[in-house]
Amino acid sequence: MKIYISADMEGISGVVGLGHVSPGDKEYERFRKLMTREVNAVVEAAVQCGAKQVLINDSHNTMDNILIEELHPKAVLISGSPKPMSMMEGIDESFDAVFFVGYHARAGSAPAIMDHTYTGRVFCVEVNGKKLSEAGLNARIAGCFNVPVALVTGDQLTIECAKQELNDFVGVIVKEAVGRYAAKIYPFEVVEEKLKAGVEEAMRRLKEFKPTVEREPVEVKLTFYSSAFAETASLLPNVERLDARTIRYTAKNYLEAYRLLRVCLSLSSLAK
């Protein structure tokens, strides 16, 4: 049994503020330890349920948050950025399932903790007319390799978004958001039990889950918060600017669409 984990940080159980997830902030070192501990709890539960290999892709910000010296001994870590497949680096058809740990809701969700989609510059990402969060976007990458998403963890809005965007999976609510920077949080022992139960259910039902596969061709519509971001992204060939803040393009398959999305986001970062 081979499990792939993409681990973000905003959806980790104790995280509620920007300082918790921002490298260089006085609180960040404390919360990367909490992230490592939560990921380890998921790995341990997966191993106890029969996983022989676990690959973790650190998927937050600079993607080097998880502490290798404290990592579960049965796991392998992909750390650092940029990576060709970003939050899904290392995924291939050899995996039995994908777990999204510490994920967050898509931009525009409320009262979700720090809702956004890949970057704070983006207001909305639509794929073939459907609004997607990072869970939805990344699940479709797994789908390109015929691998299902079996587990998603985060606040309640994270799970709600994922249910709208993915095929069936096990959702674990590790905290209850009450605002963008506020949540009802629980002692780690409580969270650990919830994670353990979620992993056990996901592993038990593994054969029930189906990959989330996007139909082709793939139309992507990307709406930014600023017209300046759309202006720079629209410089790419075959990218159409629909209005001041929105661009659109069509790709022959999802992997191509995803790579072009990443390029658009990178170009938008050049605008002031």
Side-chain angles (χ1 to χ4, degrees):
M1 188 71 67
K2 192 174 179 183
I3 302 297
Y4 179 96
I5 296 175
S6 175
D8 207 350
M9 198 169 186
E10 288 87 356
I12 295 299
S13 57
V15 169
V16 294
L18 283 174
H20 298 172
V21 298
S22 302
D25 191 276
K26 63 181 181 179
E27 285 282 84
Y28 168 71
E29 289 300 323
R30 173 183 163 215
F31 282 89
R32 64 191 299 211
K33 290 183 178 181
L34 295 184
M35 179 185 184
T36 304
R37 183 171 65 168
E38 193 155 313
V39 169
N40 281 344
V42 173
V43 174
E44 176 62 22
V47 169
Q48 290 297 320
C49 290
K52 300 301 182 185
Q53 297 182 56
V54 180
L55 178 65
I56 302 164
N57 182 32
D58 192 326
S59 299
H60 174 71
N61 199 306
T62 52
M63 299 186 173
D64 56 359
N65 311 278
I66 293 172
L67 298 168
I68 185 63
E69 63 271 27
E70 296 183 14
L71 188 67
H72 194 290
K74 296 292 187 180
V76 175
L77 176 66
I78 300 177
S79 183
S81 67
K83 294 178 279 202
M85 294 298 291
S86 188
M87 296 179 77
M88 294 300 289
E89 181 62 31
I91 188 66
D92 62 33
E93 60 280 350
S94 68
F95 289 91
D96 294 284
V98 167
F99 293 173
F100 291 152
V101 176
Y103 267 50
H104 54 78
R106 65 176 174 262
S109 304
I113 291 289
M114 290 179 275
D115 58 297
H116 65 279
T117 306
Y118 266 92
T119 169
R121 297 183 297 277
V122 171
F123 177 73
C124 180
V125 178
E126 292 184 41
V127 174
N128 286 333
K130 189 177 188 67
K131 295 179 181 179
L132 296 182
S133 65
E134 290 171 19
L137 291 166
N138 295 342
R140 284 159 173 77
I141 296 175
C144 293
F145 298 94
N146 202 37
V147 184
V149 174
L151 181 81
V152 181
T153 79
D155 68 20
Q156 75 275 24
L157 274 300
T158 303
I159 307 306
E160 182 178 314
C161 286
K163 286 182 177 179
Q164 296 167 6
E165 303 166 9
L166 280 64
N167 287 329
D168 190 28
F169 63 90
V170 175
V172 178
I173 298 173
V174 298
K175 60 187 172 188
E176 297 176 46
V178 297
R180 182 168 175 80
Y181 302 116
K184 183 187 293 184
I185 57 178
Y186 305 93
F188 183 71
E189 291 75 14
V190 174
V191 174
E192 189 174 31
E193 286 301 313
K194 289 166 69 75
L195 291 169
K196 181 181 179 182
V199 171
E200 288 176 348
E201 180 183 353
M203 297 288 278
R204 185 174 65 250
R205 297 176 53 203
L206 212 52
K207 293 183 179 179
E208 298 177 23
F209 302 123
K210 296 180 179 179
T212 301
V213 179
E214 189 55 55
R215 62 180 172 83
E216 300 174 351
V218 182
E219 182 188 82
V220 177
K221 188 184 293 185
L222 185 55
T223 303
F224 294 93
Y225 278 104
S226 166
S227 60
F229 303 151
E231 185 172 42
T232 53
S234 67
L235 295 173
L236 286 166
N238 303 317
V239 172
E240 176 187 7
R241 193 172 182 185
L242 298 181
D243 58 38
R245 297 187 299 127
T246 306
I247 63 171
R248 178 175 63 190
Y249 61 86
T250 300
K252 62 183 179 182
N253 58 53
Y254 187 76
L255 285 179
E256 180 183 282
Y258 176 77
R259 291 188 178 103
L260 190 50
L261 171 65
R262 291 191 61 213
V263 175
C264 288
L265 295 179
S266 296
L267 277 177
S268 72
S269 69
L270 300 177
K272 302 298 182 182

